[in-house]
Structures are given as C-alpha cells and as structure tokens.
Amino acid sequence: MDETPARLAVKPSWLLTQLAVHAHRLSSGGFAEVGARGYHYRILAALAEFGVASQAELGRRCSMDRSDVVAAINELAEQGFLERTPDPDDRRRNMVTLTKPGDRQLRRLDRALDKVQDDLLGPLSAEDRQNLTRLLTRLLTHHQGK
C-alpha cells in the first residue's frame, strides 16, 4: 500500500473493496479446485440448511439473479448434485432437492472455503477473526435493512 494515497488508504470503504476483490479471487480459486463456482456453493448450502425449495426461493435466499440461479441449477443437476421436479401444487414451478452426491460436494466445498478463510485471514488471531466477522455482520445487517 506504499503507492496508495494516504487519504485513500485509511478509508474503510476502499479497504473493504480491495479486500473483497482479493477474497473473491481466493474463493473462486478454491471452488475451481473442486470443480465448482461460488453460485454452486450458495445453492447447495441453502438446500442443505432449508430443504427443498423452488428456484425463486433459492434466488432470494442466495441473493442471485434468476438467470444465474437457473444456470447454476442446470450445472448442478447435470452433475447429479440436485434434482429438479415439478411442484405438485403449481406445475409451472420447479422444486429443487439436494442429493447425497450434492451433500458430499457441499462438504468438499466447505473444506475448500475453510482453506480460503484461513488464507484470507491468516494474519489475524482467532479472536480477531471472530470480532471481524461480528463487525462485518453488523454492518451488512444494517445496510440490508435499508
């Protein structure tokens, strides 16, 4: 950061943006090592936690655009990580279910993402990591409520 203007280097918004770029690069690389993308992780995690869901519900829960949800679901279904079936109450809607291979893939992705977290947060102690996570959560919660 020696070449960064001092008035910029002390702005949290700039620091967060720079770190977000680095975090995204690390995450993308970690997911790629196991043949996946971040969107795959979001969808598999939502299905594991909340159970069967429509594509629209997954989009809302995962903060994803509808076209990205459809593309990711298509990729995951082709790999056997989830199943899509028509909703018995509304044939226009698909319901998405996590499969056993999908659960195994989610665990692989968890391990890859844990490694990324360790790399990203390497210089921080366990207490500092918890504090950072708490503060970032507070900020995100505040801004999502607007």
Side-chain angles (χ1 to χ4, degrees):
M1 290 196 350
D2 296 339
E3 305 256 340
T4 303
R7 64 174 24 126
L8 186 58
V10 296
K11 301 295 184 200
S13 57
W14 187 86
L15 294 167
L16 286 168
T17 301
Q18 297 306 302
L19 192 57
V21 169
H22 187 68
H24 185 267
R25 186 172 44 78
L26 289 172
S27 296
S28 294
F31 289 140
E33 287 179 15
V34 290
R37 298 184 304 123
Y39 284 159
H40 296 165
Y41 183 76
R42 291 184 197 186
I43 289 171
L44 294 174
L47 290 171
E49 185 167 338
F50 300 110
V52 178
S54 70
Q55 292 177 180
E57 288 170 320
L58 287 170
R60 284 189 296 275
R61 286 182 179 146
C62 299
S63 299
M64 292 172 60
D65 182 78
R66 183 183 342 170
S67 63
D68 293 327
V69 171
V70 171
I73 286 174
N74 287 342
E75 293 164 359
L76 291 165
E78 287 172 12
Q79 295 173 306
F81 296 146
L82 54 78
E83 292 178 345
R84 238 183 333 214
T85 56
D87 183 340
D89 298 327
D90 183 351
R91 291 280 183 199
R92 296 169 295 171
R93 184 167 69 173
N94 283 319
M95 299 305 290
V96 182
T97 306
L98 182 67
T99 63
K100 287 186 184 204
D103 187 59
R104 287 191 296 274
Q105 175 69 347
L106 177 57
R107 284 183 269 149
R108 282 190 291 273
L109 294 173
D110 280 333
R111 288 189 296 273
L113 196 53
D114 287 345
K115 183 179 173 194
V116 166
Q117 303 310 300
D118 286 340
D119 190 15
L120 180 67
L121 303 175
L124 301 180
S125 69
E127 182 180 350
D128 285 344
R129 290 176 187 206
Q130 288 175 339
N131 286 332
L132 177 63
T133 301
R134 182 181 48 77
L135 292 170
L136 290 172
T137 300
R138 186 187 312 165
L139 286 170
L140 184 58
T141 300
H142 170 77
H143 290 288
Q144 285 178 331
K146 288 186 174 184

